[in-house]
């Protein structure tokens, strides 16, 4: 046993010596381990990295909290946001909505049980444009006036079938059965008016007046002026002329009164005109002027005809 152990030790020594000799013959050099380089972050770099990671984590938490708060406050849902709901037909807004810029829509409609109110501090303007972007119609509601700019203005009935009022550059047409003016000063027309009937309300007077010009009523088949339950008065500052070119003028009444007729003057003895007279004779001059003459047993129109010279 001792010999075997001695042989093994000698064999190991020989092997080590052979390895050393072989290494020296191959000129192999072992790397030196004089400098040691540490791996990782140490010192202030490590602290800065941890600080930035902590700051990033806090920022993410704050952003998530703000996002949840905005979703909660704005009431975001699958259908829309708050009072704004999106559906297949369009957008539905509930409550009061404010638009700071122009709104372009195809149709604005309110709910069946509520009104549609448009408000503005200055004015509300509705514009209609064609395919080329040109302005074809405009409706402006301002603090002083309501202006409509279009080629033709139409007002229809509730069902939209009957035309009530229309206006364009040439004429204004009203197709209603009755047109009522309730102003204390009545209605003022700068030019002619064409209508089949002018009638006052019950228990009210009807007055046709032209303060500075003439008043003319014309019709191809006749003009009828009647007062069924009251007097009819026609007055003028100067002359009142009744003229018929082809027919006649008919005064048909139980009593016809012609007031303030002039009294004729005697041609022979003017002193007889001063006596009292109860009955008079109605005379007509060749010019058509009517005057009175004292009634006697025979006609006195010839004797009182000097008044015809003044007409």
């Amino acid at each position: 046993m001792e010999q075997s152990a001695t042989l093994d030790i000698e064999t190991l020594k020989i092997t080590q010596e052979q390895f050393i000799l072989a290494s020296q013959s191959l000129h192999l050099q072992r790397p030196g381990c004089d400098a040691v380089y540490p791996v990782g972050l140490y010192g202030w770099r490590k602290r800065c990295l941890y600080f930035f990671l902590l700051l990033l984590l806090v920022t993410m938490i704050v952003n998530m909290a703000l996002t949840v708060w905005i979703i909660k406050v704005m009431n975001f849902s699958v259908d829309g946001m708050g009072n704004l709901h999106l559906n297949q037909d369009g957008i539905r807004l509930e409550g009061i909505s404010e638009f700071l810029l122009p709104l372009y829509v195809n149709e604005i409609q309110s709910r069946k049980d509520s009104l549609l109110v448009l408000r503005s501090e200055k004015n509300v303007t509705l514009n209609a444009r064609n395919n080329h972007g040109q302005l074809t119609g405009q409706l402006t509601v301002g603090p002083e006036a309501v202006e409509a700019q279009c080629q033709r203005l139409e007002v229809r009935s509730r069902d939209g079938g009957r035309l009530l009022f229309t206006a364009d550059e040439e004429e204004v047409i009203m197709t209603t059965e009755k047109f009522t003016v309730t102003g204390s000063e009545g209605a003022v027309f700068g030019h002619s008016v064409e209508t089949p009937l002018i009638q006052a309300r019950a228990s009210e007077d009807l007055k046709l007046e032209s303060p500075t010009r003439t008043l003319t009523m014309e019709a191809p088949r006749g003009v009828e002026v009647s007062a069924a339950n009251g007097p009819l008065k026609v007055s003028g500052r100067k002359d009142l002329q009744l003229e018929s070119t082809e027919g006649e003028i008919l005064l048909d009444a139980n009593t016809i009164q012609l007031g303030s007729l002039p009294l004729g003057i005697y041609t022979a003895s003017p002193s007889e005109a001063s006596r009292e007279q109860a009955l008079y004779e109605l005379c007509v001059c060749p010019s058509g002027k009517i005057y009175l003459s004292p009634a006697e047993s025979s006609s006195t129109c010839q004797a009182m005809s000097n008044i015809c010279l003044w007409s």
Side-chain angles (χ1 to χ4, degrees), residues 4 30 53 64 71 73 81 102 111 139 141 155 163-164 166 172 189 194 215 226 262-263 272 277 292 295 311:
S4 298
R30 298 178 62 185
L53 290 176
M64 292 181 62
I71 293 176
V73 172
M81 177 185 66
R111 295 187 301 179
L139 177 63
V141 181
V155 178
L163 182 63
L164 303 179
T166 177
V172 176
F189 301 94
E194 182 177 352
L215 177 61
S226 63
L263 182 62
E272 297 181 0
Q277 184 71 26
L292 297 178
S311 60

Side-chain angles (χ1 to χ4, degrees), residues 26-259:
L26 295 174
H27 304 284
L28 296 177
Q29 295 181 358
R30 298 178 62 185
C33 298
D34 297 337
V36 179
Y37 298 97
V39 179
L41 296 177
Y42 299 95
W44 64 273
R45 294 184 180 87
K46 184 177 181 180
R47 289 192 295 270
C48 289
L49 178 61
Y50 288 160
F51 174 76
F52 284 121
L53 290 176
L54 181 62
L55 181 62
L56 181 60
L57 180 62
V58 172
T59 304
M60 292 176 60
I61 295 175
V62 172
N63 287 337
M64 292 181 62
L66 290 177
T67 303
V68 174
W69 179 74
I70 291 174
I71 293 176
K72 184 66 176 178
V73 172
M74 300 301 293
N75 194 12
F76 280 100
S77 63
V78 179
D79 298 332
M81 177 185 66
N83 296 330
L84 177 64
H85 300 281
L86 302 177
N87 49 33
Q88 296 180 356
D89 299 333
I91 299 176
R92 179 179 177 181
L93 289 174
E94 296 181 357
I96 300 176
S97 304
E98 183 177 358
F99 301 94
L100 302 179
L101 296 176
L103 177 64
Y104 299 92
V105 295
N106 186 23
E107 181 181 357
I108 300 177
Q109 183 179 358
S110 65
R111 295 187 301 179
K112 295 182 179 180
D113 56 348
S114 63
L115 300 176
L116 176 62
V117 180
L118 301 178
R119 297 178 181 176
S120 175
E121 295 182 356
K122 294 184 178 180
N123 55 34
V124 177
T125 303
L126 303 178
N127 295 331
R129 300 180 181 273
N130 56 14
N131 298 331
H132 302 287
Q134 298 176 353
L135 184 65
T136 58
Q138 184 181 65
L139 177 63
T140 303
V141 181
E144 298 180 355
V146 178
E147 299 179 0
Q149 180 181 354
C150 56
Q151 296 180 356
R152 184 182 181 90
L153 177 63
E154 295 182 356
V155 178
R156 295 185 176 271
S157 58
R158 181 179 301 177
D159 56 356
R162 183 181 177 185
L163 182 63
L164 303 179
F165 175 84
T166 177
D168 54 17
E169 295 181 358
E170 297 181 356
E171 60 181 0
V172 176
I173 301 175
M174 299 187 64
T175 59
T176 57
E177 297 180 356
K178 183 184 294 184
F179 175 67
T180 305
V181 179
T182 59
S184 59
E185 298 295 333
V188 179
F189 301 94
H191 298 282
S192 61
V193 179
E194 182 177 352
T195 177
L197 177 63
I198 300 177
Q199 182 179 359
R201 283 186 174 183
S203 69
E204 293 185 3
D205 297 334
L206 175 63
K207 185 177 181 181
L208 301 178
E209 182 182 3
S210 179
T212 58
R213 301 294 181 182
T214 58
L215 177 61
T216 304
M217 291 186 293
E218 297 179 354
R221 301 186 60 180
V223 177
E224 180 181 355
V225 181
S226 63
N229 299 321
L232 176 63
K233 182 180 180 181
V234 180
S235 62
R237 184 175 179 272
K238 293 184 179 180
D239 297 336
L240 179 61
Q241 181 178 356
L242 300 178
E243 180 181 357
S244 177
T245 56
E246 297 181 359
E248 60 183 8
I249 298 176
L250 176 63
L251 301 177
D252 187 5
N254 295 330
T255 302
I256 299 177
Q257 295 182 359
L258 300 176

Side-chain angles (χ1 to χ4, degrees), residues 17-31:
E17 292 176 355
Q18 292 177 355
F19 177 75
I20 293 171
L21 292 173
S23 299
Q24 290 177 356
S25 62
L26 295 174
H27 304 284
L28 296 177
Q29 295 181 358
R30 298 178 62 185

